[in-house]
Amino acid sequence: MSRRRRIYEGKAKVIYEGTEPGTLVQYFKDDSSHDASGDIATITGKGVLNNRISEHLMTRLAEIGVPTHLVRRLNMREQLIREVEIIPVQVVVRNIVAGSLAKRLGMEEGTALPRSIVEYYYKSDELGGPMISEEHITAFGWAMPQELDDMLSMALRVNDFLSGLFYGVGIRLVDFQLEFGRLWQGEELRIVLADEISPDSCRLWDLETDERLDRDRARLSMSEAAEAYQEVARRLGILPQSDVVDMHGRSHAS
Ligand code: UDP
């Protein structure tokens, strides 16, 4: 078997060269979440669930006209994506106070925001992903003003759509992070949604109990976190009610 060329490896994903020109393979790993001690810990089956959840959400978004990098899911842990030029800006949309917003401004977690708030962070692990403004993005050429406009309007559209989609299955979309890329289509350069949308990049709280169904849960215990990711998949109708995902990502009826 010929070995694929590994292009990039991050905490949660590996990117390999794709099968056709202009494509890449995105492989979802299990590790990467921080546990209670701050160490990187493994949630078994997480990669399999994130692959399925991200595929599901990106497909639904494409159906309403939001362009994404996803071509198709290939198998339990991999998806074929279009090769895009990643814009080095992480866009965070918030509906409810949580995480760094609560800490930074001393606000109470769980407070509903009077309107959705969009924040930008510079994509640099070295610098710890500092918060930036639109001015930095255009002044330093990380995105053109028109591209930034597209990113903002897409992020708000994604927020409206996903808030409704999750609300319908009893989940509050508290906040989430998006990444965008540039894609050449013929002569035209388009901004498309990239990376992933999963419980690793969203805060998801149960509508009735406020129970955490996202990576914040990993800070408590690994088995609880695995259950939460499965619960999100089950509610989205991706896993049949009785399915469990085993250590190797195989899905079988319990
Ligand atoms: N987020 C992410 N990757 C990051 C930082 C944040 O996916 O590197 C997501 C996070 O899961 C949450 C939202 O962006 O849904 C806002 O995160 P926040 O700024 O509150 O930072 P955190 O408290 O997660 O460090």
Side-chain angles (χ1 to χ4, degrees), residues 90 92-94 98-101 103-104 119 121 175-177 199-203 215-216 219:
Q90 295 175 323
V92 167
V93 184
R94 303 178 180 277
S100 71
L101 177 65
K103 238 178 268 154
R104 214 177 324 115
E119 296 171 352
Y121 294 86
D175 56 33
F176 61 95
Q177 180 219 257
D200 269 2
S201 61
C202 304
R203 277 200 177 85
R215 67 175 187 157
D216 277 353
R219 291 175 184 137

Side-chain angles (χ1 to χ4, degrees), residues 116-232:
S116 301
I117 292 178
V118 178
E119 296 171 352
Y120 304 100
Y121 294 86
Y122 182 46
K123 211 171 131 60
S124 160
D125 282 343
E126 229 168 86
L127 300 174
M131 193 175 178
I132 49 176
S133 75
E134 297 197 352
E135 298 277 303
H136 298 101
I137 298 170
T138 52
F140 300 131
W142 294 326
M144 306 289 282
Q146 180 58 50
E147 293 176 327
L148 190 53
D149 270 7
D150 289 352
M151 287 159 64
L152 174 61
S153 61
M154 253 192 261
L156 293 173
R157 186 132 189 262
V158 169
N159 184 44
D160 284 346
F161 181 75
L162 291 188
S163 291
L165 187 144
F166 278 117
Y167 193 87
V169 296
I171 293 174
R172 211 187 298 280
L173 179 60
V174 172
D175 56 33
F176 61 95
Q177 180 219 257
L178 297 176
E179 287 187 23
F180 295 90
R182 294 186 185 94
L183 178 66
W184 281 103
Q185 283 186 323
E187 291 294 291
E188 214 187 317
L189 189 60
R190 283 186 92 182
I191 297 292
V192 304
L193 208 52
D195 194 42
E196 69 179 294
I197 311 179
S198 72
D200 269 2
S201 61
C202 304
R203 277 200 177 85
L204 304 169
W205 295 357
D206 183 88
L207 208 51
E208 286 181 356
T209 63
D210 276 348
E211 184 191 353
R212 271 52 170 172
L213 298 171
D214 52 52
R215 67 175 187 157
D216 277 353
R217 192 85 164 233
R219 291 175 184 137
L220 305 174
S221 103
M222 286 302 113
S223 63
E224 270 196 324
E227 271 169 36
Y229 282 58
Q230 289 207 20
E231 180 62 20
V232 172

Side-chain angles (χ1 to χ4, degrees), residues 29-48:
K29 299 195 284 186
D30 275 346
D31 46 323
S32 94
S33 291
H34 294 268
D35 67 9
S37 63
D39 294 334
I40 299 283
T42 301
I43 305 174
T44 305
K46 181 179 81 110
V48 176

